[in-house]
């Protein structure tokens, strides 16, 4: 295994053109978004492979409040390329942590 192969695997990337694993993409989306928006990631609520890589919805804690149910959360839609690098993100919703969607 070459040095470039070692670095790809240590970053959660798989060699020889294989698609990243779902857990690796979840980690990549969480870590990169947290770094960009400087907020704690709560969860990856959706993830889907597409022709250009991956898309995911990531929930983050934007403003911590007491009680916890009043904390402000946000949902971000992110796009990652086939190697797991974040290429776009957009905040699509803000809500109180205790809020439940009515669907």
């Amino acid at each position: 295994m070459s040095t470039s192969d070692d670095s790809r695997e240590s970053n959660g990337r798989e060699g020889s053109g294989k698609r990243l694993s779902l857990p690796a993409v979840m980690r990549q989306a969480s870590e990169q978004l947290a770094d960009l928006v400087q907020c704690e990631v709560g969860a990856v609520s959706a993830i889907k492979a597409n022709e250009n890589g991956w898309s995911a919805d990531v929930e983050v804690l934007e403003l911590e409040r007491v009680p916890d149910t009043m904390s402000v959360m946000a949902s971000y839609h992110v796009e990652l390329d086939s190697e797991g690098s974040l290429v776009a993100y957009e905040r699509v919703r803000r809500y109180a942590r205790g809020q439940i969607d009515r669907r």
Side-chain angles (χ1 to χ4, degrees):
M1 184 179 300
S2 73
T3 305
S4 63
D5 289 340
D6 291 338
S7 66
R8 263 190 293 215
E9 286 190 10
S10 68
N11 289 328
R13 293 177 172 88
E14 298 173 1
S16 68
K18 292 182 182 177
R19 187 176 277 280
L20 289 170
S21 68
L22 193 57
V25 173
M26 291 176 74
R27 280 190 301 275
Q28 296 272 358
S30 296
E31 291 170 4
Q32 292 176 70
L33 184 64
D35 189 43
L36 281 172
V37 299
Q38 296 297 298
C39 293
E40 177 185 335
V41 171
V44 175
S45 57
I47 193 160
K48 183 167 92 171
N50 59 42
E51 63 277 353
N52 299 320
W54 299 86
S55 64
D57 294 332
V58 182
E59 310 301 316
V60 302
L61 174 62
E62 284 202 336
L63 183 59
E64 194 165 11
R65 297 260 172 98
V66 176
D68 224 17
T69 55
M70 295 307 295
S71 292
V72 178
M73 303 293 292
S75 182
Y76 284 83
H77 181 76
V78 300
E79 298 286 331
L80 297 99
D81 65 17
S82 61
E83 293 185 354
S85 295
L86 192 68
V87 295
Y89 74 97
E90 174 184 19
R91 183 173 64 195
V92 294
R93 181 172 173 244
R94 289 183 89 196
Y95 57 96
R97 178 177 260 163
Q99 182 179 339
I100 299 173
D101 286 341
R102 295 176 189 236
R103 291 186 196 212

XYZ file of all heavy atoms in Angstrom:
793
model
N 0.847 -1.172 0.000
C 0.000 0.000 0.000
C 0.892 1.234 0.000
O 1.815 1.336 0.775
C -0.904 -0.017 1.243
C -1.875 1.116 1.267
S -2.970 1.102 2.713
C -3.786 -0.440 2.551
N 0.611 2.200 -0.859
C 1.425 3.405 -0.954
C 1.018 4.419 0.102
O -0.021 4.301 0.749
C 1.290 4.023 -2.344
O 0.031 4.617 -2.478
N 1.826 5.476 0.257
C 1.531 6.533 1.225
C 0.225 7.227 0.895
O -0.565 7.536 1.782
C 2.683 7.570 1.247
O 3.890 6.884 1.509
C 2.435 8.624 2.301
N -0.080 7.462 -0.393
C -1.333 8.109 -0.759
C -2.522 7.230 -0.399
O -3.572 7.709 -0.013
C -1.360 8.483 -2.238
O -1.287 7.321 -3.035
N -2.369 5.903 -0.524
C -3.428 4.996 -0.105
C -3.644 5.078 1.394
O -4.769 5.046 1.877
C -3.106 3.549 -0.491
C -3.202 3.311 -1.989
O -3.867 4.110 -2.680
O -2.593 2.327 -2.465
N -2.546 5.181 2.166
C -2.657 5.291 3.612
C -3.436 6.537 4.000
O -4.300 6.488 4.866
C -1.275 5.363 4.282
C -0.520 4.046 4.187
O -1.174 3.000 3.994
O 0.720 4.079 4.311
N -3.142 7.668 3.379
C -3.828 8.905 3.744
C -5.293 8.853 3.354
O -6.137 9.377 4.056
C -3.146 10.121 3.101
O -3.267 10.086 1.703
N -5.622 8.208 2.243
C -7.020 8.088 1.856
C -7.798 7.267 2.871
O -8.891 7.625 3.261
C -7.148 7.447 0.480
C -7.310 8.456 -0.608
C -7.665 7.750 -1.852
N -6.495 6.960 -2.238
C -6.129 6.734 -3.467
N -6.827 7.184 -4.456
N -5.053 6.024 -3.730
N -7.220 6.164 3.305
C -7.915 5.325 4.266
C -8.030 5.999 5.615
O -9.038 5.886 6.287
C -7.232 3.969 4.399
C -7.504 3.106 3.200
C -7.056 1.692 3.387
O -6.695 1.325 4.529
O -7.067 0.952 2.407
N -7.025 6.740 6.056
C -7.098 7.400 7.352
C -8.116 8.523 7.360
O -8.611 8.911 8.396
C -5.722 7.944 7.767
O -5.343 9.013 6.924
N -8.476 9.038 6.180
C -9.499 10.074 6.081
C -10.876 9.484 5.832
O -11.809 10.200 5.525
C -9.159 11.051 4.945
C -7.983 11.922 5.288
O -7.783 12.250 6.448
N -7.214 12.293 4.288
N -11.024 8.181 5.916
C -12.314 7.547 5.685
C -12.591 7.290 4.213
O -13.688 6.945 3.839
N -11.622 7.485 3.357
C -11.798 7.279 1.932
C -11.299 5.888 1.561
O -10.330 5.399 2.097
C -11.033 8.337 1.148
C -11.608 9.720 1.343
C -10.756 10.737 0.605
N -11.367 12.033 0.617
C -11.203 12.940 1.576
N -10.446 12.682 2.605
N -11.789 14.114 1.497
N -11.959 5.290 0.614
C -11.557 3.973 0.158
C -10.847 4.123 -1.170
O -11.205 4.959 -1.989
C -12.788 3.076 0.005
C -13.504 2.873 1.335
C -14.808 2.127 1.167
O -15.149 1.756 0.039
O -15.483 1.926 2.166
N -9.834 3.300 -1.404
C -9.056 3.396 -2.633
C -9.756 2.762 -3.823
O -10.854 2.248 -3.731
N -9.101 2.770 -4.961
C -9.487 2.132 -6.217
C -10.869 2.533 -6.724
O -11.587 1.717 -7.269
C -9.371 0.603 -6.113
O -10.323 0.072 -5.226
N -11.263 3.789 -6.537
C -12.496 4.295 -7.117
C -13.773 3.829 -6.443
O -14.853 4.055 -6.953
N -13.679 3.135 -5.339
C -14.883 2.677 -4.642
C -15.579 3.855 -3.970
O -14.938 4.797 -3.531
C -14.531 1.634 -3.585
C -14.049 0.333 -4.150
C -13.772 -0.642 -3.029
C -13.233 -1.940 -3.575
N -12.887 -2.875 -2.514
N -16.893 3.763 -3.860
C -17.680 4.784 -3.187
C -17.426 4.694 -1.688
O -17.239 3.619 -1.148
C -19.165 4.568 -3.486
C -20.052 5.671 -2.961
C -21.492 5.463 -3.352
N -21.815 5.926 -4.665
C -22.064 7.195 -4.986
N -21.975 8.123 -4.072
N -22.389 7.530 -6.200
N -17.414 5.837 -1.023
C -17.247 5.866 0.437
C -18.363 5.087 1.122
O -19.478 5.021 0.614
C -17.293 7.315 0.941
C -16.116 8.201 0.603
C -16.429 9.639 0.968
C -14.885 7.743 1.338
N -18.076 4.562 2.292
C -19.107 3.879 3.059
C -20.032 4.912 3.692
O -19.650 6.073 3.907
C -18.467 3.020 4.152
O -17.869 3.847 5.133
N -21.234 4.515 3.999
C -22.215 5.416 4.615
C -21.709 5.995 5.936
O -21.787 7.214 6.142
C -23.541 4.677 4.799
C -24.756 5.518 5.132
C -25.002 6.597 4.096
C -25.970 4.621 5.247
N -21.165 5.197 6.856
C -20.636 5.779 8.097
C -19.525 6.800 7.860
O -19.453 7.822 8.540
C -20.112 4.567 8.879
C -20.895 3.411 8.357
C -21.114 3.718 6.897
N -18.663 6.550 6.868
C -17.584 7.492 6.561
C -18.154 8.811 6.055
O -17.700 9.892 6.443
C -16.625 6.895 5.531
N -19.169 8.748 5.213
C -19.794 9.970 4.691
C -20.483 10.735 5.823
O -20.397 11.966 5.890
C -20.804 9.643 3.565
C -21.564 10.889 3.138
C -20.089 9.034 2.380
N -21.134 10.031 6.731
C -21.788 10.686 7.871
C -20.759 11.440 8.716
O -20.997 12.580 9.119
C -22.561 9.668 8.712
C -23.767 9.117 7.996
S -24.630 7.841 8.924
C -25.425 8.825 10.158
N -19.632 10.815 8.969
C -18.569 11.481 9.733
C -18.041 12.704 8.994
O -17.855 13.775 9.581
C -17.417 10.508 10.014
C -17.677 9.572 11.174
C -16.409 8.812 11.555
N -15.866 8.015 10.453
C -16.273 6.787 10.149
N -17.220 6.210 10.854
N -15.723 6.137 9.142
N -17.798 12.550 7.694
C -17.274 13.658 6.894
C -18.239 14.839 6.911
O -17.836 15.985 7.110
C -17.052 13.213 5.435
C -16.019 12.149 5.260
C -14.614 12.714 5.081
O -14.407 13.903 5.057
N -13.663 11.828 4.974
N -19.524 14.573 6.699
C -20.532 15.643 6.672
C -20.587 16.355 8.023
O -20.584 17.592 8.088
C -21.906 15.067 6.316
N -20.610 15.591 9.105
C -20.688 16.158 10.454
C -19.472 17.011 10.772
O -19.606 18.155 11.225
C -20.788 15.044 11.501
O -21.962 14.315 11.341
N -18.295 16.451 10.558
C -17.059 17.155 10.921
C -16.861 18.432 10.118
O -16.523 19.482 10.670
C -15.861 16.219 10.734
C -15.838 15.082 11.729
C -14.794 14.019 11.395
O -14.021 14.199 10.421
O -14.766 12.995 12.097
N -17.087 18.351 8.811
C -16.852 19.517 7.964
C -17.870 20.624 8.218
O -17.514 21.805 8.264
C -16.851 19.111 6.490
C -15.653 18.239 6.144
C -15.691 17.757 4.724
O -15.515 18.547 3.811
N -15.944 16.474 4.545
N -19.142 20.269 8.408
C -20.152 21.292 8.686
C -19.900 21.934 10.040
O -19.966 23.165 10.178
C -21.564 20.717 8.620
C -22.661 21.765 8.820
C -22.660 22.797 7.692
C -24.024 21.104 8.935
N -19.580 21.141 11.060
C -19.286 21.683 12.389
C -18.132 22.677 12.322
O -18.170 23.737 12.963
C -18.964 20.555 13.368
N -17.123 22.363 11.536
C -15.976 23.249 11.377
C -16.383 24.567 10.705
O -15.952 25.638 11.110
C -14.892 22.538 10.572
C -13.586 23.303 10.552
O -13.180 23.816 11.616
O -12.966 23.378 9.483
N -17.229 24.492 9.694
C -17.639 25.692 8.968
C -18.556 26.605 9.774
O -18.373 27.820 9.792
C -18.356 25.312 7.668
C -17.470 24.904 6.509
C -18.317 24.369 5.362
C -16.649 26.093 6.037
N -19.571 26.037 10.420
C -20.563 26.868 11.112
C -20.251 27.053 12.594
O -20.955 27.775 13.289
C -22.002 26.329 10.922
C -22.383 26.333 9.455
C -22.186 24.959 11.538
N -19.188 26.381 13.077
C -18.765 26.498 14.477
C -19.896 26.180 15.453
O -20.124 26.894 16.428
C -18.203 27.899 14.747
C -16.944 28.217 13.957
C -15.788 27.295 14.329
O -15.344 27.278 15.463
N -15.320 26.525 13.371
N -20.624 25.094 15.159
C -21.716 24.622 16.014
C -21.570 23.122 16.224
O -21.013 22.419 15.388
C -23.072 24.888 15.363
S -23.503 26.621 15.211
N -22.115 22.644 17.341
C -22.080 21.219 17.666
C -23.117 20.468 16.835
O -24.281 20.861 16.767
C -22.403 21.036 19.148
C -22.482 19.626 19.618
C -22.920 19.526 21.078
O -22.717 20.491 21.833
O -23.494 18.487 21.435
N -22.695 19.390 16.193
C -23.611 18.575 15.397
C -24.399 17.658 16.329
O -23.826 17.008 17.200
C -22.847 17.749 14.343
C -23.757 16.736 13.671
C -22.220 18.669 13.307
N -25.717 17.634 16.132
C -26.571 16.763 16.918
C -26.760 15.411 16.252
O -26.683 14.375 16.897
N -26.987 15.422 14.927
C -27.245 14.171 14.212
C -27.226 14.410 12.712
O -27.436 15.527 12.247
C -28.605 13.612 14.603
N -26.991 13.337 11.977
C -27.219 13.342 10.538
C -28.581 12.675 10.378
O -28.746 11.502 10.692
C -26.123 12.562 9.780
C -26.455 12.468 8.300
C -24.769 13.221 9.988
N -29.583 13.450 9.942
C -30.954 12.927 9.909
C -31.326 12.285 8.578
O -32.328 11.574 8.503
C -31.951 14.031 10.260
O -31.818 15.124 9.380
N -30.540 12.537 7.541
C -30.791 11.898 6.242
C -29.498 11.917 5.437
O -28.693 12.837 5.569
C -31.891 12.637 5.486
N -29.335 10.900 4.603
C -28.161 10.855 3.718
C -28.534 10.039 2.491
O -29.266 9.054 2.586
C -26.930 10.279 4.444
C -25.687 10.540 3.645
C -27.098 8.838 4.771
C -24.417 10.449 4.456
N -28.052 10.502 1.329
C -28.405 9.823 0.092
C -27.270 9.973 -0.916
O -26.708 11.050 -1.080
C -29.693 10.433 -0.458
C -30.222 9.769 -1.701
C -31.630 10.202 -2.007
C -31.639 11.385 -2.930
N -32.982 11.715 -3.420
N -26.947 8.886 -1.580
C -25.966 8.919 -2.663
C -26.632 9.505 -3.903
O -27.818 9.291 -4.145
C -25.461 7.513 -2.960
N -25.857 10.278 -4.678
C -26.354 10.779 -5.955
C -25.250 10.650 -6.994
O -24.169 10.148 -6.688
C -26.885 12.223 -5.825
C -25.834 13.197 -5.328
O -24.678 13.155 -5.740
N -26.237 14.093 -4.437
N -25.503 11.107 -8.208
C -24.528 10.913 -9.291
C -23.228 11.680 -9.070
O -22.181 11.306 -9.598
C -25.131 11.271 -10.654
C -25.547 12.718 -10.814
C -26.931 13.029 -10.245
O -27.651 12.118 -9.835
O -27.275 14.229 -10.203
N -23.251 12.757 -8.268
C -22.049 13.561 -8.028
C -21.367 13.266 -6.702
O -20.325 13.830 -6.417
C -22.401 15.046 -8.074
C -22.940 15.453 -9.425
O -22.449 15.010 -10.445
N -23.967 16.270 -9.422
N -21.978 12.436 -5.866
C -21.414 12.143 -4.550
C -22.516 11.813 -3.558
O -23.167 10.780 -3.679
N -22.735 12.741 -2.625
C -23.695 12.501 -1.543
C -24.425 13.791 -1.179
O -23.885 14.879 -1.313
C -22.968 12.022 -0.292
C -22.218 10.753 -0.460
C -20.946 10.592 -0.924
C -22.696 9.442 -0.185
N -20.606 9.272 -0.944
C -21.661 8.544 -0.495
C -23.896 8.941 0.305
C -21.787 7.169 -0.333
C -24.015 7.571 0.477
C -22.980 6.703 0.157
N -25.654 13.650 -0.661
C -26.363 14.772 -0.047
C -26.821 14.295 1.319
O -27.111 13.111 1.518
C -27.537 15.237 -0.908
O -28.508 14.232 -1.021
N -26.854 15.225 2.277
C -27.228 14.851 3.645
C -27.920 16.015 4.327
O -27.732 17.175 3.958
C -25.983 14.452 4.436
N -28.726 15.697 5.321
C -29.338 16.686 6.197
C -28.705 16.503 7.571
O -28.674 15.386 8.098
C -30.850 16.499 6.288
C -31.537 16.772 4.954
O -30.997 17.570 4.161
O -32.601 16.187 4.707
N -28.191 17.599 8.115
C -27.453 17.550 9.374
C -28.101 18.519 10.362
O -28.339 19.683 10.030
C -25.969 17.932 9.155
C -25.192 17.833 10.454
C -25.332 17.059 8.084
N -28.376 18.026 11.565
C -28.965 18.851 12.621
C -27.855 19.372 13.519
O -26.989 18.604 13.947
C -29.948 18.029 13.462
C -30.976 17.240 12.659
C -31.841 18.092 11.766
O -32.316 19.154 12.222
O -32.042 17.708 10.601
N -27.863 20.678 13.808
C -26.837 21.266 14.667
C -27.479 22.091 15.779
O -28.592 22.592 15.641
C -25.838 22.155 13.877
C -25.148 21.375 12.795
C -26.517 23.367 13.307
N -26.753 22.224 16.868
C -27.161 23.062 17.993
C -26.606 24.463 17.744
O -25.398 24.668 17.793
C -26.608 22.490 19.305
C -26.811 23.316 20.557
C -28.300 23.501 20.863
C -26.097 22.667 21.732
N -27.485 25.423 17.439
C -27.020 26.775 17.135
C -26.930 27.658 18.377
O -26.070 28.510 18.455
C -27.928 27.447 16.101
C -27.685 26.926 14.710
C -28.148 27.875 13.635
O -29.046 28.711 13.891
O -27.610 27.778 12.518
N -27.837 27.457 19.329
C -27.853 28.292 20.520
C -28.343 27.466 21.702
O -29.474 27.004 21.710
C -28.773 29.494 20.296
C -28.872 30.529 21.396
C -27.505 31.142 21.698
C -29.848 31.618 20.998
N -27.453 27.260 22.672
C -27.805 26.444 23.835
C -28.554 27.291 24.849
O -28.124 28.393 25.194
C -26.543 25.854 24.455
C -26.837 24.752 25.434
C -25.595 23.942 25.760
O -24.485 24.352 25.397
O -25.757 22.893 26.388
N -29.687 26.786 25.328
C -30.526 27.497 26.299
C -30.894 26.552 27.445
O -30.787 25.350 27.335
C -31.826 27.977 25.642
C -31.642 28.984 24.537
C -31.909 30.374 25.052
N -31.587 31.402 24.107
C -32.451 31.998 23.313
N -33.713 31.636 23.316
N -32.048 32.964 22.511
N -31.357 27.151 28.531
C -31.886 26.394 29.666
C -33.345 26.788 29.810
O -33.648 27.980 29.853
C -31.096 26.719 30.954
C -31.704 26.015 32.157
C -29.627 26.358 30.789
N -34.262 25.829 29.840
C -34.047 24.377 29.750
C -33.647 23.966 28.337
O -33.841 24.702 27.371
C -35.398 23.791 30.136
C -36.395 24.818 29.712
C -35.705 26.149 29.930
N -33.112 22.761 28.244
C -32.607 22.199 26.995
C -33.627 22.264 25.854
O -33.260 22.444 24.701
C -32.224 20.737 27.236
C -30.908 20.379 26.604
O -30.148 21.295 26.271
O -30.657 19.169 26.451
N -34.908 22.113 26.184
C -35.947 22.099 25.157
C -36.107 23.450 24.464
O -36.743 23.541 23.422
C -37.305 21.681 25.750
O -37.617 22.546 26.845
C -37.278 20.232 26.206
N -35.517 24.492 25.015
C -35.589 25.819 24.406
C -34.346 26.142 23.564
O -34.259 27.216 22.967
C -35.792 26.888 25.480
C -37.120 26.760 26.209
S -38.539 26.708 25.085
C -38.464 28.335 24.369
N -33.387 25.241 23.517
C -32.199 25.452 22.692
C -32.622 25.582 21.224
O -33.591 24.967 20.785
C -31.221 24.292 22.834
O -30.676 24.267 24.130
N -31.883 26.384 20.468
C -32.193 26.596 19.061
C -31.375 25.628 18.220
O -30.140 25.616 18.280
C -31.913 28.055 18.638
C -32.186 28.243 17.145
C -32.744 29.022 19.463
N -32.068 24.830 17.446
C -31.461 23.859 16.548
C -31.619 24.356 15.113
O -32.468 25.196 14.837
C -32.154 22.497 16.687
C -32.165 21.916 18.083
S -30.539 21.456 18.677
C -30.150 20.082 17.590
N -30.806 23.832 14.220
C -30.936 24.154 12.802
C -30.696 22.899 11.979
O -29.907 22.035 12.363
C -29.941 25.232 12.399
N -31.385 22.819 10.870
C -31.204 21.724 9.931
C -30.510 22.280 8.692
O -30.965 23.268 8.110
C -32.564 21.131 9.554
O -32.402 20.041 8.684
N -29.397 21.660 8.328
C -28.629 22.064 7.154
C -28.672 20.961 6.109
O -28.560 19.783 6.444
C -27.159 22.304 7.513
C -26.908 23.595 8.236
C -27.101 23.695 9.609
C -26.454 24.715 7.555
C -26.857 24.884 10.283
C -26.197 25.905 8.226
C -26.408 25.980 9.583
O -26.164 27.153 10.246
N -28.825 21.364 4.859
C -28.695 20.425 3.740
C -27.287 20.602 3.198
O -26.879 21.727 2.887
C -29.730 20.707 2.651
C -29.642 19.749 1.523
N -30.122 18.461 1.621
C -29.094 19.863 0.298
C -29.872 17.833 0.483
N -29.245 18.663 -0.329
N -26.527 19.521 3.105
C -25.146 19.591 2.626
C -24.961 18.685 1.418
O -25.642 17.669 1.275
C -24.123 19.220 3.729
C -24.233 20.161 4.912
C -24.275 17.791 4.191
N -24.034 19.082 0.556
C -23.645 18.290 -0.608
C -22.168 17.959 -0.468
O -21.361 18.839 -0.157
C -23.876 19.077 -1.904
C -25.319 19.443 -2.171
C -26.174 18.273 -2.613
O -25.627 17.325 -3.228
O -27.385 18.300 -2.339
N -21.831 16.691 -0.687
C -20.441 16.239 -0.650
C -20.099 15.602 -1.985
O -20.951 14.963 -2.601
C -20.226 15.223 0.470
C -20.474 15.754 1.884
C -21.848 15.345 2.353
C -19.424 15.255 2.821
N -18.842 15.768 -2.414
C -18.428 15.121 -3.657
C -18.175 13.639 -3.398
O -18.338 13.150 -2.269
C -17.216 15.826 -4.282
C -15.948 15.747 -3.450
O -15.847 14.901 -2.535
O -15.029 16.543 -3.715
N -17.766 12.915 -4.424
C -17.590 11.465 -4.301
C -16.467 11.075 -3.348
O -16.412 9.946 -2.875
C -17.339 10.848 -5.679
O -16.161 11.402 -6.244
N -15.561 12.013 -3.036
C -14.485 11.734 -2.083
C -14.831 12.178 -0.664
O -14.015 12.064 0.241
C -13.198 12.402 -2.556
C -12.671 11.795 -3.832
C -11.342 12.375 -4.241
O -10.860 13.333 -3.604
O -10.777 11.867 -5.213
N -16.035 12.732 -0.459
C -16.473 13.120 0.870
C -16.161 14.549 1.261
O -16.338 14.918 2.419
N -15.723 15.378 0.316
C -15.442 16.780 0.625
C -16.709 17.603 0.474
O -17.430 17.476 -0.530
C -14.372 17.334 -0.319
O -13.151 16.681 -0.104
N -16.975 18.450 1.449
C -18.148 19.313 1.432
C -18.005 20.324 0.300
O -16.990 21.007 0.202
C -18.267 20.034 2.779
C -19.561 20.756 3.074
C -20.702 19.777 3.256
C -19.409 21.584 4.335
N -18.996 20.403 -0.573
C -18.947 21.343 -1.695
C -20.043 22.400 -1.609
O -19.958 23.428 -2.275
C -18.998 20.623 -3.067
C -17.750 19.777 -3.267
C -20.249 19.783 -3.212
N -21.078 22.172 -0.785
C -22.153 23.156 -0.619
C -22.925 22.850 0.657
O -23.006 21.698 1.082
C -23.098 23.117 -1.813
N -23.456 23.912 1.266
C -24.356 23.715 2.399
C -25.340 24.863 2.463
O -25.086 25.950 1.957
C -23.598 23.562 3.717
C -22.999 24.829 4.282
C -23.676 25.560 5.267
C -21.763 25.294 3.862
C -23.129 26.718 5.798
C -21.206 26.435 4.391
C -21.890 27.148 5.353
O -21.343 28.288 5.882
N -26.505 24.595 3.072
C -27.550 25.601 3.190
C -28.376 25.299 4.445
O -28.791 24.158 4.655
C -28.446 25.540 1.952
C -29.649 26.432 2.019
C -30.568 26.262 0.816
O -30.487 25.227 0.115
O -31.381 27.169 0.595
N -28.604 26.340 5.269
C -29.496 26.146 6.410
C -30.918 26.202 5.877
O -31.302 27.150 5.213
C -29.286 27.227 7.463
C -30.166 26.978 8.695
C -29.878 27.907 9.827
N -30.205 29.266 9.413
C -29.799 30.348 10.059
N -29.022 30.249 11.118
N -30.139 31.536 9.645
N -31.694 25.164 6.168
C -33.055 25.079 5.627
C -34.132 25.262 6.685
O -35.295 25.472 6.347
C -33.281 23.748 4.861
C -32.416 23.698 3.612
C -33.016 22.539 5.733
N -33.737 25.216 7.966
C -34.751 25.328 9.019
C -34.101 25.626 10.349
O -33.005 25.154 10.628
C -35.489 23.991 9.101
C -36.577 23.932 10.122
C -37.363 22.620 9.969
N -38.296 22.533 11.069
C -38.278 21.605 12.015
N -37.393 20.650 11.967
N -39.148 21.617 12.989
N -34.768 26.456 11.171
C -34.374 26.675 12.574
C -35.584 26.344 13.430
O -36.711 26.636 13.053
C -33.974 28.125 12.825
C -32.657 28.482 12.185
C -32.267 29.889 12.516
N -31.506 29.866 13.765
C -31.263 30.930 14.500
N -31.727 32.104 14.156
N -30.549 30.831 15.600
N -35.338 25.754 14.602
C -36.455 25.338 15.448
C -35.982 25.158 16.881
O -34.784 24.989 17.143
C -37.069 24.038 14.914
C -36.090 22.883 14.801
C -35.989 21.933 15.814
C -35.252 22.758 13.695
C -35.092 20.889 15.720
C -34.347 21.708 13.596
C -34.272 20.784 14.610
O -33.380 19.749 14.520
N -36.919 25.194 17.825
C -36.615 24.903 19.227
C -36.422 23.401 19.371
O -37.128 22.613 18.733
C -37.743 25.369 20.133
N -35.449 22.996 20.169
C -35.117 21.578 20.322
C -36.338 20.735 20.684
O -36.494 19.621 20.214
C -34.038 21.401 21.378
C -33.690 19.943 21.614
C -32.581 19.795 22.588
N -31.360 19.564 21.818
C -30.147 19.691 22.293
N -29.945 20.091 23.514
N -29.101 19.452 21.536
N -37.233 21.254 21.479
C -38.398 20.496 21.916
C -39.536 20.474 20.909
O -40.556 19.818 21.126
N -39.399 21.151 19.788
C -40.448 21.245 18.786
C -40.552 19.941 17.991
O -39.551 19.379 17.579
C -40.158 22.391 17.833
C -41.199 22.615 16.780
C -40.832 23.800 15.895
O -40.038 24.656 16.277
N -41.373 23.829 14.715
N -41.792 19.506 17.773
C -42.043 18.288 17.003
C -42.786 18.667 15.734
O -43.755 19.420 15.775
C -42.879 17.270 17.818
C -42.110 16.861 19.079
C -43.240 16.066 16.969
C -42.906 16.004 20.011
N -42.320 18.153 14.585
C -43.008 18.409 13.317
C -44.367 17.719 13.310
O -44.510 16.600 13.789
C -42.191 17.861 12.136
C -40.975 18.710 11.836
O -40.929 19.872 12.265
O -40.070 18.194 11.157
N -45.344 18.402 12.739
C -46.676 17.801 12.577
C -46.815 17.359 11.137
O -46.972 18.170 10.255
C -47.769 18.816 12.902
C -47.730 19.232 14.342
C -48.756 20.304 14.557
N -48.593 20.859 15.876
C -49.537 20.906 16.784
N -50.737 20.454 16.501
N -49.304 21.421 17.960
N -46.698 16.070 10.910
C -46.816 15.519 9.548
C -47.761 14.378 9.536
O -47.890 13.610 10.369
C -45.451 15.059 9.034
C -44.558 16.199 8.775
C -43.305 15.687 8.146
N -42.277 16.714 8.230
C -41.356 16.870 7.337
N -41.307 16.085 6.297
N -40.455 17.789 7.452
